[in-house]
Amino acid sequence: CLASGNAAAQGAYPNHPISLVVPFAAGGPTDVVARSLGASMSKTLGQSIVVENRTGAGGTLASTHVARAAPDGYTFLIHHNGMATAPALYRKLPFNPLTDFAYVGQVADVPMTLLGRKDLPPADMPAFIKYARENGDKVNLANAGLGAVSQLCGMLLQESLGTQFTTVPYAGTAPALTALLGGQVDVLCDQTTQTIPHIKADRVKLYGVTTLDRIKALPDAPTLQENGLKGFEVKVWHGVYAPKGTPPEAVAKFNAALRAALKDPAFTQKMAELGAEIVPESKQTPEGLQTWLQTEIDKWGGIIRKAGVYAD
Ligand code: MLT
């Protein structure tokens, strides 16, 4: 490996498969982005990128694993806003997002959708608001644990409605969506990267999108703010990280492959169909990610502390 021994004798980096850790269940939104990104990046790197799903504790187990992994250029993490919300949500977080990683760059921004099970009574968002306020904790809200964006979106939703649902956590929104499709839970806030095919196949009720403006991939879907939740916005962003101390040459090569993928039609077209927007070039860099992460830690930290939601 690059960190030790004679790089020339062992061949140039990368000379064996690279692990890309995903903090949530296979088949879900983060996994969809990771697998598609990995497939494109492996064309540039000449080595396969193996996606490893390490679920648990709202994504923080995966982050802890990568923070402690050998900094040899063969372990990376893809994570979303959860990297920025974790310090406020977890009083005993075993890693520091700002000091325990090397930063590679950002990938894409993804809107979320508020979904109900197909036979949930309310037909649209105004009816849902009324239903939610009348039924309170009789409404089951699925999420992917404390630190998931489904949790963040659900927390803001309950706050804006002034109601408290019963939360049902899963290892990712893939199993959460399966539960919604099976009628075991009532409501789920989840990313378009997973939900669009189910919305188009009419398998769920769509109450709205979580962006301030309507999105191209679902032009008929109203925003939540159009329907009474003024200013409601959750946008999901993705960063790629490595353990701190990863050789700068490995980070630079991984970053170059990332930036190539963000121009590769095989990746960009799939993302566009799923409602995701590739980030501008200024965010595709290590500095772009690091600066953004700090901003997001400040932003969500304040909101979460105000909501009083945390784990000991
Ligand atoms: C997932 O990949 O399962 C989701 O990103 C989980 C979430 O944060 O809601």
Side-chain angles (χ1 to χ4, degrees):
C1 69
L2 255 184
S4 63
N6 182 335
Q10 299 189 11
Y13 172 84
N15 60 19
H16 61 84
I18 295 169
S19 164
L20 180 59
V21 176
V22 167
F24 299 101
T30 317
D31 186 76
V32 164
V33 174
R35 282 176 202 274
S36 182
L37 180 69
S40 176
M41 287 177 67
S42 67
K43 291 188 283 190
T44 308
L45 291 166
Q47 284 291 341
S48 47
I49 293 184
V50 182
V51 168
E52 205 187 313
N53 301 87
R54 283 187 173 259
T55 65
T60 59
L61 291 190
S63 305
T64 304
H65 168 78
V66 173
R68 293 176 179 167
D72 58 5
Y74 290 92
T75 304
F76 290 86
L77 168 73
I78 182 164
H79 202 346
H80 55 34
N81 311 45
M83 192 61 124
T85 57
L89 291 172
Y90 288 86
R91 299 227 156 148
K92 293 193 189 103
L93 194 64
F95 63 90
N96 183 334
L98 291 169
T99 53
D100 289 345
F101 297 96
Y103 305 94
V104 179
Q106 286 187 60
V107 184
D109 292 336
V110 182
M112 299 189 81
T113 46
L114 177 63
L115 307 178
R117 64 176 153 80
K118 184 81 174 126
D119 54 357
L120 197 69
D124 55 19
M125 190 61 192
F128 175 77
I129 293 175
K130 188 165 176 283
Y131 180 86
R133 288 187 174 136
E134 282 167 8
N135 289 278
D137 64 5
K138 287 205 244 31
V139 177
N140 289 319
L141 169 75
N143 72 23
L146 216 53
V149 286
S150 43
Q151 175 265 330
L152 192 65
C153 181
M155 180 191 87
L156 292 178
L157 180 69
Q158 292 171 86
E159 266 214 331
S160 331
L161 297 175
T163 181
Q164 201 72 48
F165 299 140
T166 298
T167 296
V168 189
Y170 292 86
T173 53
L177 183 64
T178 303
L180 188 80
L181 295 172
Q184 286 115 36
V185 292
D186 301 317
V187 186
L188 170 67
C189 188
D190 193 21
Q191 296 155 77
T192 57
T193 31
Q194 168 164 252
T195 63
I196 280 185
H198 298 280
I199 292 166
K200 292 198 164 155
D202 204 21
R203 292 187 204 113
V204 287
K205 273 203 173 122
L206 169 63
Y207 294 125
V209 293
T210 68
T211 41
L212 292 178
D213 298 309
R214 290 191 179 204
I215 61 168
K216 264 193 232 123
L218 292 170
D220 299 332
T223 65
L224 294 186
Q225 86 156 345
E226 272 175 61
N227 277 308
L229 301 189
K230 199 152 170 35
F232 193 101
E233 184 185 27
V234 187
K235 227 190 199 179
V236 183
W237 56 272
H238 297 79
V240 176
Y241 306 82
K244 192 189 176 90
T246 298
E249 313 87 86
V251 173
K253 270 209 164 176
F254 210 68
N255 175 264
L258 171 73
R259 282 183 289 117
L262 302 186
K263 289 195 182 68
D264 175 6
F267 179 67
T268 59
Q269 278 167 19
K270 172 144 198 205
M271 289 301 104
E273 278 163 28
L274 295 177
E277 206 174 295
I278 303 300
V279 294
E281 285 185 7
S282 61
K283 288 187 170 178
Q284 297 173 13
T285 62
E287 302 72 36
L289 171 57
Q290 199 175 357
T291 310
W292 181 254
L293 179 64
Q294 176 72 70
T295 311
E296 285 281 291
I297 288 176
D298 295 344
K299 170 184 164 176
W300 292 114
I303 294 171
I304 291 164
R305 276 186 284 273
K306 198 170 139 249
V309 177
Y310 62 87
D312 277 321

